Amino acid sequence: MTDTKIAGKPKARVLVVDDEASARSGLEKLLRQEGYAVDAAADGPSALQIAAERPPDVVVTDLKMPRMDGLELLQKLRATYPSVPVIMVTAFGEVSTAVQAMRSGADDFITKPVDFDALTLSIERVIERTNLKAEAEELRRQLREREGEGFEGLIGSSPALQKVYRVAKQVAPARATVLITGESGTGKGELARAIHKKSPRASGPFITLHCAALAESLLESELFGHERGAFTGADKRRVGRFEQANGGTLFLDEVGEIPPATQVKLLRVLQERTFERVGGNEPVEVDVRLVAATNRDLAKDVHDGRFREDLYYRLNVVHIEMPALRLRGGDVLLLAAHFLKRFALENKKRIEGFHDRARAKLLAHRWPGNVRELENAIERAVVLCEGTQIDEGDLPIDVAPLPKGGVRIPGATMAEIERFAILSTLDATNGSTAKAAEMLDISVRTIQYRLHEYGVAAKEKEKKS
């Protein structure tokens, strides 16, 4: 039997769940002697609480338990910790139920009375399989990056997204707080997860909280946890998201929706790295890297008094703006191909790609819902497609007619094409010459010169007068 203990460190953290005290303490003692760090729980709810505080590497659980049996515990663990292996312990006469557990996602099962050598061998095997899966995923990620899928699986090679990759790679190793802004559906959450995976905290938890989805009273409890009796219904202590993220990363989505009273408490955590649970007086220390995201203009909210200025500067140590899909050019087709492959596999359909008419329609649409809208559109197209290629009629999007001043190719001169490209790109960037220059790979001075040549600035002045 191979020994994976290195330099005095535990081989792994094992969570033992069994309602029989003698069986539980016996396994705990034997596993500790084998070099494992061990947590023990008498039932499913206690196991979930322990897992939230100290995520296990392996769970060994009895099948038959009061309050919550092993199957229900397995389902709840899979929902929150999909990669943590679970070994089911069952009586000899319950093998059929153990098979059902395997079909539900258990990694292995052993029968009572527990043969300790068989258990340790099972633990080593499931850990080895988990490590192999992680290594395979890392190899796939590296391959995706070499093939243009960007940073930690983010897909796209446009100049706008390459800029995001550069900043993300620079900030990932640091502890600095990151503020990600951008329209809804641009992939802010995916970028936050990618930064975590590239950071020294990658082995720690990545915990998310959507701040706009909760009332003020619930939001505070979700962030900081609460003590027993803190309010009606608080029948036991609850660990909040900050404690769950200890040693890892906490991602706060729609941080601009946090109410003023909670903003004060969040600021204190960022400054002092301590807080009190709701209804408690004891300070809790945490080591958490915070990544926040919003589709709001926080600087304007600060000016209007809706967001604390000191908290804004604490959050905005490093700012990354996720570009809208309409600013990412050919990334639309890369993403569409990625979603097509995924949904064709899910729906067991053989679809080879997109017809040229469909590709043109994808490129012509402005995608107000960004990547999320594109994903939904491709899923619907796959479901409705009756052939081996997605055609324009399969796509549930309406493309605006050619704008006034648009060009026809063939039939337009290079000067007309250049004018159309510059003015259309400026329109897409809401008039930002810097962003337009980056997309078109020309200088800002060139755009300014061309605008003067087109008389655009003069026309704007006429409209204002």
Side-chain angles (χ1 to χ4, degrees):
M1 192 179 297
T2 57
D3 192 340
T4 56
K5 191 174 181 181
I6 299 172
K9 293 183 179 180
K11 296 178 182 179
R13 178 170 292 279
V14 181
L15 173 56
V16 176
V17 191
D18 198 315
D19 60 311
E20 294 183 18
S22 58
R24 187 171 66 249
S25 61
L27 286 180
E28 182 179 3
K29 181 179 179 181
L30 289 169
L31 287 170
R32 286 187 190 280
Q33 290 175 352
E34 283 293 309
Y36 293 97
V38 185
D39 289 310
D43 53 40
S46 301
L48 293 173
Q49 182 74 16
I50 291 172
E53 296 175 4
R54 296 182 296 278
D57 297 304
V58 183
V59 176
V60 179
T61 179
D62 194 15
L63 181 60
K64 296 293 185 181
M65 296 184 294
R67 298 184 65 190
M68 181 188 296
D69 66 14
L71 284 176
E72 186 179 354
L73 174 60
L74 171 64
Q75 292 171 355
K76 292 185 179 295
L77 286 169
R78 280 286 168 266
T80 311
Y81 314 99
S83 62
V84 173
V86 177
I87 300 171
M88 201 69 68
V89 180
T90 178
F92 182 76
E94 298 166 349
V95 173
S96 60
T97 312
V99 172
Q100 180 186 346
M102 295 287 287
R103 289 173 177 166
S104 300
D107 294 83
D108 200 0
F109 77 91
I110 58 175
T111 57
K112 294 181 177 179
V114 174
D115 182 311
F116 188 68
D117 287 337
L119 175 61
T120 53
L121 181 60
S122 177
I123 291 173
E124 289 182 0
R125 282 176 175 170
V126 297
I127 289 174
E128 185 178 3
R129 284 201 297 267
T130 302
N131 291 339
L132 286 173
K133 286 180 183 177
E135 290 173 8
E137 178 55 35
E138 174 65 14
L139 289 172
R140 285 193 291 269
R141 180 195 63 75
Q142 293 176 8
L143 181 60
R144 287 196 298 267
E145 288 193 5
R146 285 198 297 270
E147 292 178 349
E149 292 198 16
F151 177 70
E152 282 294 327
L154 293 175
I155 298 172
S157 56
S158 63
L161 208 58
Q162 290 295 331
K163 181 179 179 182
V164 170
Y165 297 156
R166 285 194 297 272
V167 178
K169 287 175 182 176
Q170 287 177 313
V171 74
R175 194 186 188 280
T177 303
V178 180
L179 178 63
I180 305 173
T181 59
E183 298 176 9
S184 294
T186 49
K188 298 186 290 293
E190 286 76 8
L191 177 61
R193 188 177 293 276
I195 290 172
H196 169 74
K197 288 182 178 179
K198 270 292 191 191
S199 76
R201 299 169 176 265
S203 60
F206 178 79
I207 305 296
T208 68
L209 180 64
H210 195 289
C211 300
L214 297 168
E216 182 174 355
S217 57
L218 292 176
L219 177 61
E220 188 175 341
S221 177
E222 281 293 323
L223 281 170
F224 309 115
H226 62 251
E227 297 289 355
R228 180 179 180 181
F231 49 82
T232 303
D235 56 349
K236 61 181 179 180
R237 171 186 283 182
R238 188 180 189 283
V239 172
R241 302 298 174 96
F242 265 102
E243 283 183 85
Q244 292 176 28
N246 192 34
T249 303
L250 175 61
F251 173 54
L252 297 183
D253 198 8
E254 299 306 338
V255 72
E257 306 300 327
I258 294 180
T262 309
Q263 290 179 29
V264 176
K265 296 187 176 183
L266 179 58
L267 177 64
R268 183 193 167 193
V269 181
L270 294 177
Q271 289 175 330
E272 303 175 11
R273 302 182 189 176
T274 63
F275 62 91
E276 289 91 32
R277 301 185 189 95
V278 177
N281 298 315
E282 182 182 343
V284 179
E285 294 187 9
V286 288
D287 173 23
V288 174
R289 200 259 183 93
L290 187 69
V291 179
T294 182
N295 59 9
R296 298 178 64 97
D297 184 346
L298 283 191
K300 184 177 185 302
D301 285 348
V302 169
H303 181 269
D304 295 341
R306 288 193 295 268
F307 201 84
R308 292 183 63 95
E309 184 176 21
D310 45 7
L311 177 58
Y312 170 68
Y313 288 119
R314 279 284 179 180
L315 294 174
N316 195 29
V317 176
V318 178
H319 174 222
I320 303 178
E321 183 178 2
M322 282 298 287
L325 189 53
R326 63 181 175 275
L327 305 180
R328 293 174 52 181
D331 284 355
V332 172
L333 297 181
L334 284 175
L335 284 161
H338 169 76
F339 292 137
L340 172 60
K341 183 178 179 181
R342 189 177 99 201
F343 291 125
L345 185 63
E346 287 181 8
N347 290 275
K348 296 180 174 59
K349 283 195 167 186
R350 184 175 175 272
I351 303 177
E352 298 172 353
F354 296 90
H355 192 282
D356 287 345
R357 292 186 296 264
R359 292 165 64 88
K361 191 174 184 179
L362 289 169
L363 290 170
H365 189 51
R366 287 181 60 82
W367 301 108
N370 294 294
V371 179
R372 190 177 297 124
E373 181 190 0
L374 174 61
E375 182 178 10
N376 293 338
I378 301 303
E379 182 175 17
R380 181 181 182 276
V382 168
V383 171
L384 296 181
C385 181
E386 296 179 347
T388 59
Q389 279 193 325
I390 301 290
D391 208 339
E392 60 178 341
D394 299 321
L395 295 168
I397 53 176
D398 296 319
V399 178
L402 196 68
K404 186 177 180 181
V407 298
R408 299 285 181 187
I409 300 175
T413 65
M414 285 302 297
E416 289 171 334
I417 293 171
E418 182 188 60
R419 175 190 171 97
F420 178 69
I422 290 175
L423 296 181
S424 297
T425 306
L426 279 169
D427 180 56
T429 59
N430 295 319
S432 170
T433 54
K435 290 181 180 178
E438 184 179 7
M439 289 188 68
L440 294 168
D441 196 23
I442 59 178
S443 68
V444 173
R445 186 180 295 276
T446 298
I447 291 182
Q448 292 170 340
Y449 177 79
R450 288 287 184 260
L451 290 177
H452 178 74
E453 193 177 68
Y454 303 151
V456 171
K459 287 181 182 178
E460 288 178 351
K461 288 176 183 177
E462 287 172 13
K463 287 180 183 178
K464 291 177 182 177
S465 63

